Amino acid sequence: MANYQNYEQVGRNYDQVGPRSQSQGFSDVEANRLTSLPSQHIGTIKPCSRAKWSREMKVSLIQLLKDHDVPGYRTHNAWSKEAWTSITSQLNTKFGMSFNVNQVKQKEQDLKKAYRNVKDLIAESGFGWDKDRMMVDAPASVWAAFAARKNSKDALQWRDKSFPYYDELALLYEGRYAEGRTRRRMDYYTSRAK
């Protein structure tokens, strides 16, 4: 429960969609429900093509991924089809949404990519992790030198942005994927064997 409250307090910087959603008075959850309300023209639920995720939904997804991080549902680095079906079903039931498996998988991939970017940034000389604010911490001079050396939008976006899911995602991904310059995916070794 303490982790969830931490997400709520610190996650506001990470999840701001922009002035549009707040100025209109809709939360992410309310906006999602509006896009999946029954259509007056055909009387069916219109699935949202682009899924919008609130902080609560992301926290629930991470918890479901952790719940399914067991043999039978997860191999060394991937969840099974049954796991994805279960996770999607539970998210839809909890939030009254109509996500499909691909939308849920995409959000997991987005979270994994953000986790890797933050982890790689923290590993750079001069950078650290501020556990209280849940964000990458470095002096302005270090950020400037990094920006001059590597013009990476993926990394530079974390300068003033919190990432409250970092610690929880570390539990899911640490040691699960290859690291280093010579990392190879499984398809590399399969094609090499042929």
Side-chain angles (χ1 to χ4, degrees):
M1 189 64 173
N3 282 342
Y4 182 75
Q5 290 171 343
N6 248 357
Y7 289 140
E8 285 298 313
Q9 293 169 356
V10 181
R12 299 190 202 305
N13 287 345
Y14 177 73
D15 288 323
Q16 288 176 346
V17 179
R20 182 176 55 88
S21 65
Q22 295 303 320
S23 66
Q24 292 177 347
F26 294 113
S27 70
D28 287 346
V29 175
E30 291 167 334
N32 274 342
R33 288 195 182 156
L34 288 174
T35 61
S36 59
L37 286 174
S39 169
Q40 295 174 347
H41 300 291
I42 32 178
T44 59
I45 292 181
K46 179 181 137 191
C48 15
S49 59
R50 177 132 173 100
K52 293 185 181 181
W53 292 75
S54 69
R55 202 170 20 266
E56 297 163 67
M57 291 174 174
K58 291 175 191 175
V59 169
S60 291
L61 172 60
I62 292 168
Q63 185 56 52
L64 287 168
L65 290 169
K66 286 168 55 179
D67 293 346
H68 289 81
D69 189 15
V70 293
Y73 278 131
R74 189 172 186 195
T75 61
H76 180 66
N77 61 358
W79 280 270
S80 68
K81 183 178 180 179
E82 293 79 19
W84 285 117
T85 303
S86 173
I87 291 168
T88 303
S89 173
Q90 290 180 53
L91 281 171
N92 285 336
T93 300
K94 182 173 182 176
F95 294 102
M97 300 302 295
S98 59
F99 291 138
N100 63 43
V101 171
N102 288 335
Q103 289 172 315
V104 176
K105 281 183 177 182
Q106 183 59 54
K107 181 47 65 179
E108 184 268 336
Q109 289 298 309
D110 293 346
L111 287 168
K112 185 194 304 188
K113 180 181 177 185
Y115 168 75
R116 287 180 182 176
N117 287 334
V118 169
K119 182 182 177 202
D120 291 346
L121 193 55
I122 293 169
E124 290 281 332
S125 178
F127 288 93
W129 179 249
D130 184 336
K131 287 187 178 195
D132 295 329
R133 297 185 307 154
M134 293 187 177
M135 60 191 304
V136 177
D137 189 30
S141 59
V142 172
W143 279 108
F146 178 80
R149 195 172 70 247
K150 295 183 179 181
N151 191 11
S152 170
K153 291 179 187 176
D154 288 338
L156 293 174
Q157 71 173 327
W158 299 108
R159 184 174 186 158
D160 299 315
K161 199 176 190 183
S162 68
F163 188 59
Y165 317 110
Y166 182 78
D167 293 329
E168 295 298 315
L169 291 173
L171 298 173
L172 282 173
Y173 299 126
E174 268 315 293
R176 293 277 187 167
Y177 60 89
E179 298 180 38
R181 278 185 240 165
T182 59
R183 66 181 171 223
R184 305 250 192 247
R185 292 175 40 166
M186 287 307 294
D187 55 352
Y188 169 81
Y189 296 103
T190 304
S191 64
R192 216 173 143 197
K194 292 177 184 175

